[in-house]
Amino acid sequence: MAYKILLGVVAALMILNAGLLFDTQRTRWATVKAAEEAAKPAEVSFTLIKPKDCKECFDAAAALGQLQENPGVKVKEQKIVTLGEDTANTLIAQYAITRLPAVVVQGDTEKLLLKIPSLSQAGSSVPSGTELKDKTLVMTKFPPPYFDLTSKAVKGLLKVTYITVSSCKDCYDVQLHKLALGNLGITASNEVTVSQSSDAGQKLIARYGIQKLPTVVLTGDMAEYPILKQIWSSVGSIAKDGAYVFTALESMGTYKDLKTGKIVKPKTNNQ
């Protein structure tokens, strides 16, 4: 009798152990499958909605091109539609889009955000403030300029005026400001270069009380560039008419002091 009981216990333990082994294997298998699935690229479809006749607007197509080069993304389909077309109008209404360009992304959007977290981070080039609506990714906050659908106007137009000084061959290259703006993700929609001796240059120098050259003056829809407002107090002044005038020439290199007429070469830490 005791022998039969022992056999029963052993059999029960074997069955229990087999069940545990099966559960362990099933868990491992599920983990492996999940890892394999996570390693696969996010399969998505893009629909780019462009404004009509806005040459100044941000080139979202170029930004999407960079996104497509990411190994974590597999683009199944890409469409480009223009404001006024049926598809564009339908998507704008469906997702309450208020500015263009915009990109509607469908497919493995949640995985896409896991693959490229920067899509939902402020300052991203592709853009900040991305929204998920019914698992559809709506990308609208590309850098300005952009077309505002409410006012039906282009917002974020920026003019950059470079003021040069021909009498100073050793002065720093004023075009360095273009590089600095580019590093902030800012591209001017209009660029003008004037010399100190020109009528346009003289008017700008008088209007903004400019005392050092070369320099740069930014005008336009400055409210669309909050990052400039954040840093400008440390590098320049904001005029009454809203123009941003660069004044921290010492940080750039050699410049001309208009008050003294002298060429100033800022001292370095080694001097």
Side-chain angles (χ1 to χ4, degrees):
M1 183 68 178
Y3 177 71
K4 290 182 178 181
I5 293 174
L6 179 61
L7 285 177
V9 171
V10 171
L13 289 173
M14 290 179 66
I15 293 171
L16 178 61
N17 186 53
L20 291 173
L21 285 173
F22 176 76
D23 287 341
T24 301
Q25 286 297 108
R26 184 170 59 182
T27 301
R28 288 178 178 174
W29 180 80
T31 302
V32 170
K33 292 296 289 182
E36 290 177 348
E37 182 61 31
K40 293 179 181 178
E43 295 189 4
V44 293
S45 298
F46 291 127
T47 301
L48 168 60
I49 309 173
K50 298 174 60 177
K52 194 173 184 179
D53 300 326
C54 182
K55 296 179 180 180
E56 303 91 351
C57 288
F58 180 80
D59 187 2
L64 287 179
Q66 296 177 4
L67 189 61
Q68 291 178 52
E69 294 175 1
N70 190 300
V73 181
K74 181 179 179 181
V75 180
K76 297 170 62 178
E77 184 180 13
Q78 178 172 320
K79 296 179 182 178
I80 298 178
V81 296
T82 303
L83 177 64
E85 296 178 7
D86 290 343
T87 300
N89 294 343
T90 299
L91 291 172
I92 288 169
Q94 183 176 355
Y95 297 110
I97 294 170
T98 60
R99 55 189 279 175
L100 298 176
V103 177
V104 177
V105 188
Q106 296 173 317
D108 295 337
T109 51
E110 292 179 340
K111 181 187 282 190
L112 179 66
L113 289 177
L114 290 174
K115 293 281 186 182
I116 312 177
S118 61
L119 283 178
S120 57
Q121 294 175 1
S124 167
S125 61
V126 189
S128 62
T130 300
E131 297 180 83
L132 265 177
K133 299 180 179 180
D134 299 326
K135 293 189 176 181
T136 295
L137 201 60
V138 182
M139 301 161 62
T140 60
K141 294 185 180 179
F142 290 95
Y146 64 90
F147 184 77
D148 182 78
L149 290 169
T150 303
S151 63
K152 300 189 184 306
V154 178
K155 296 290 188 70
L157 292 174
L158 176 66
K159 179 179 180 180
V160 179
T161 302
Y162 305 98
I163 307 177
T164 62
V165 50
S166 58
S167 59
C168 181
K169 294 181 180 179
D170 294 327
C171 284
Y172 79 91
D173 183 1
V174 74
Q175 290 293 321
L176 289 174
H177 291 289
K178 182 175 183 177
L179 179 61
L181 290 171
N183 289 337
L184 295 174
I186 299 173
T187 302
S189 49
N190 185 16
E191 290 182 304
V192 177
T193 300
V194 298
S195 67
Q196 173 196 0
S197 58
S198 67
D199 289 342
Q202 287 295 312
K203 288 179 181 180
L204 287 171
I205 291 169
R207 181 184 302 168
Y208 298 118
I210 295 171
Q211 299 178 2
K212 303 172 185 177
L213 289 178
T215 194
V216 64
V217 178
L218 311 181
T219 54
D221 199 355
M222 305 306 297
E224 294 295 334
Y225 299 91
I227 189 171
L228 280 178
K229 188 172 184 179
Q230 292 172 15
I231 66 171
W232 206 257
S233 61
S234 62
V235 299
S237 62
I238 301 178
K240 290 181 179 180
D241 64 359
Y244 282 42
V245 183
F246 184 79
T247 60
L249 278 69
E250 297 83 357
S251 65
M252 301 299 293
T254 301
Y255 63 91
K256 182 177 181 179
D257 187 318
L258 298 184
K259 275 190 173 183
T260 64
K262 293 182 179 180
I263 305 301
V264 180
K265 186 175 182 180
K267 292 182 179 180
T268 62
N269 293 332
N270 297 326
Q271 291 180 315

